Each structure stands twice: as structure tokens, then as C-alpha cells.
Amino acid sequence: QVGFSPLHSASVRGLRPLHAMAKGSLHNLAARSPAVRKAQTAGASKVLRHGSIKVKATNPQEANRFKWVVQDQKYIRRKATPRGGPPFVIEAGERWLDVGANVGFFALSALAQGAASVTCIEAEKGNLSRLRSNLKLNGHGARRARVLRAVVRGRASRSSQVLLLSRKTTRHSVLSVPEASHDGKTQTVPVVTTLRQLLNGRPSEAVKLNIEGAEREVLLSMSSRAWGPHVRKMVVEYSFDVFPTRRDYDGLLRHLRATGWKVFPESVPSWFSGASATWDRRRTLGNDARQIWAFRGAQTAKP
């Protein structure tokens, strides 16, 4: 049993053991025929492999995400983070908190690279089922991988339990989905918690945060003390399609710096400059997220 502090509306008995890895080569489904894509969309699954990692993907979005996270290692910066920042890698023995774990690609990658453990937080029940299945497929038990179905918000509130479902299984959100008009499909998530509660319950040295826009309120809710003594680094995927103004983005970066983080954000287009600038999705062609790498403590020595 993991020592989470009390969560809103549910017990931490929702945490469950998970599992991780086997060998092979990557099959990128994005290049498959329309018939294969149709089969995936209809619910069929395809086994994807890369190195020691094996997963099942059920649609083209998951296949593309597997390539992005596992094969291309987009969360990782082995030589340096932007603007001369330190490298960002998975270090042997690290404990990771994966908020927005989706179907487990980052968790499996972290475990394959030597992480001691990963605590996976995912809100959508279909994704959660596939997350458990993918971890089991790779052979990881409770000692290295745990799962909690939860919504993570700036504060735990019963009104925050509703998850908006996107047609894309990688884009469910409590705030906004990418479709021009939402079809009204939702899920009620039994647990609402905060990042502070999660870190208090299961100390971690590193955090990955990708929760489709809610990352902004979650991070703004964190004081310097709320991070505790263990967290040393973090990667955040910032959703400009949810918070499109430069003012909001810069405000988050300032808050992170004020609470003890040194931040190294991914570059943004030159036209997105000035406090009044607004993200233009017509110009980005759907590439509406950017990573923020951040460090605390000794790793921040490099300017």
C-alpha cells in the first residue's frame, strides 16, 4: 500500500500494480494503409516494439505517440536542454511521477532506462485499462509501477470530477478538447487530487506532467515548499491550444522561477512574441504543444 495522503472522494486503494518490457523493432502505424487505420479506429490493436519495449496501440494517435515518446525520445534531451541548460535524462534509480500517463509509453520508457519506479496517474478509464495491459505485457509488478485513476487539479474539488472525452484518445481533458465542437461525451472520475498530495504520498525525484491544459493551474498552485525535498527535475507539456496567450505562458514561467525552478523552455515561433501575442493554430498546423524542462537544486548549476 502506497502512503498517499487522503484524496478527495476516494481511497488510494485505486492504486494498482503494473508491469513492463520485451524485445523487438518499431512498427510505425502512421505509415500503414487506410484499411489498417480503419481497423485500429474500430478497436483493433497492433503490437508495436522498440528495443525492450512492447505495447499495444489501438489507433493511429497512439501509434504516433509511441513514435514520439519511445522511439524519438522527445521528452529527453541527452546533450542539453534549450538555451544551454543541463541534459534531461532518465537516471538509474530515480522515482518518477507520471501525471497524464495515457497508455504508459513514457512510464515504460523510463523503466527501460533504469528508473527505480514510476507512479502513473491517468484519468480516462479506457486509457487506464490499456496502461495496465501495456505494463503487464512488459512484466512490471507493483514494486516498480503503480497506477491511480485520478484527475489532478490545482485544488481537489468535487466539481472537478468531469473529464471531457476527445475523439483522440491522447487528448481527453478537464478543460478543453481540440475538436471544434465537443460531442458532449464525458466521464466522471472518482478521485480528484493535487500534485502536492501525490508528492506527499509517494516521494519522487522527477515529474512528467502532460494533462492537456490543466498543467497550468496545477503548477500555479504549487509553492516552493509544496514541492518537498525530493523533486529535482520536471518536464511539462504546455498546451497552447488551451491557453493561447503569451501573457499566460510567461506568467507560468515566472511562477516556476519564483518557486525555485530554473526553466529551459522549448523555442516558440518568432511571431509569438510580446505580452499580447496569441497562439495561431492555423499557422502551427496542429503542433500546439511545447515542452518546458525545469530543474531544482544541484542540477541547476549550469546557466
Side-chain angles (χ1 to χ4, degrees), residues 32-297:
R32 297 288 185 179
S33 69
V36 172
R37 294 189 186 190
K38 182 177 180 181
Q40 292 171 340
T41 304
S45 62
K46 181 74 174 180
V47 175
L48 306 178
R49 303 172 189 267
H50 182 70
S52 65
I53 298 173
K54 177 170 62 177
V55 304
K56 289 183 179 180
T58 61
N59 56 59
Q61 291 82 38
E62 288 180 4
N64 288 336
R65 195 67 181 174
F66 180 84
K67 183 180 186 301
W68 197 92
V69 175
V70 178
Q71 183 185 26
D72 296 343
Q73 294 280 294
K74 293 292 189 178
Y75 285 122
I76 303 302
R77 290 294 179 101
R78 299 195 182 281
K79 293 184 178 179
T81 43
R83 303 180 187 180
F88 191 94
V89 297
I90 310 294
E91 297 180 58
E94 283 181 330
R95 297 169 296 177
W96 276 82
L97 176 63
D98 183 1
V99 183
N102 196 252
V103 297
F105 298 156
F106 179 82
L108 288 171
S109 185
L111 291 167
Q113 294 175 63
S117 64
V118 182
T119 299
C120 304
I121 312 299
E122 173 57 36
E124 201 277 324
K125 63 183 179 182
N127 285 346
L128 194 81
S129 176
R130 293 196 296 282
L131 166 61
R132 291 190 175 113
S133 177
N134 281 330
L135 289 166
K136 184 176 182 179
L137 184 65
N138 287 273
H140 283 293
R143 186 178 63 84
R144 296 193 69 198
R146 295 175 184 265
V147 166
L148 171 66
R149 186 184 181 201
V151 165
V152 182
R153 300 297 303 265
R155 63 186 184 90
S157 166
R158 202 175 286 274
S159 63
S160 303
Q161 291 178 282
V162 177
L163 181 71
L164 306 178
L165 300 185
S166 170
R167 290 190 292 273
K168 298 179 178 180
T169 59
T170 56
R171 297 300 310 272
H172 308 308
S173 173
V174 293
L175 297 179
S176 174
V177 294
E179 290 84 5
S181 59
H182 183 237
D183 61 11
K185 293 182 179 179
T186 63
Q187 286 179 11
T188 299
V189 183
V191 176
V192 183
T193 187
T194 66
L195 184 55
R196 181 172 187 168
Q197 286 176 315
L198 291 170
L199 291 171
N200 285 343
R202 187 159 177 81
S204 303
E205 286 81 36
V207 175
K208 170 243 166 186
L209 184 63
N210 178 5
I211 45 178
E212 305 302 328
E215 64 277 350
R216 185 174 182 275
E217 69 167 76
V218 167
L219 293 172
L220 288 174
S221 74
M222 296 290 286
S223 65
S224 181
R225 290 187 62 186
W227 289 101
H230 302 290
V231 179
R232 296 182 289 113
K233 64 187 180 187
M234 167 175 65
V235 59
V236 178
E237 187 161 313
Y238 189 90
S239 303
F240 285 107
D241 54 345
V242 181
F243 288 99
T245 70
R246 184 66 191 242
R247 182 177 289 105
D248 284 341
Y249 180 60
D250 287 344
L252 175 61
L253 297 181
R254 283 195 300 271
H255 176 79
L256 289 174
R257 293 183 182 112
T259 52
W261 290 94
K262 287 199 173 180
V263 297
F264 301 90
E266 190 174 6
S267 63
V268 295
S270 58
W271 48 261
F272 188 62
S273 60
S276 61
T278 299
W279 193 261
D280 188 348
R281 298 185 67 190
R282 295 169 300 179
R283 301 174 75 171
T284 58
L285 302 176
N287 184 16
D288 298 316
R290 293 293 185 273
Q291 311 311 307
I292 302 169
W293 291 274
F295 301 87
R296 296 171 69 86

Side-chain angles (χ1 to χ4, degrees), residues 18-29:
L18 302 176
H19 316 312
M21 314 300 94
K23 297 184 179 177
S25 61
L26 176 69
H27 301 285
N28 182 4
L29 298 185

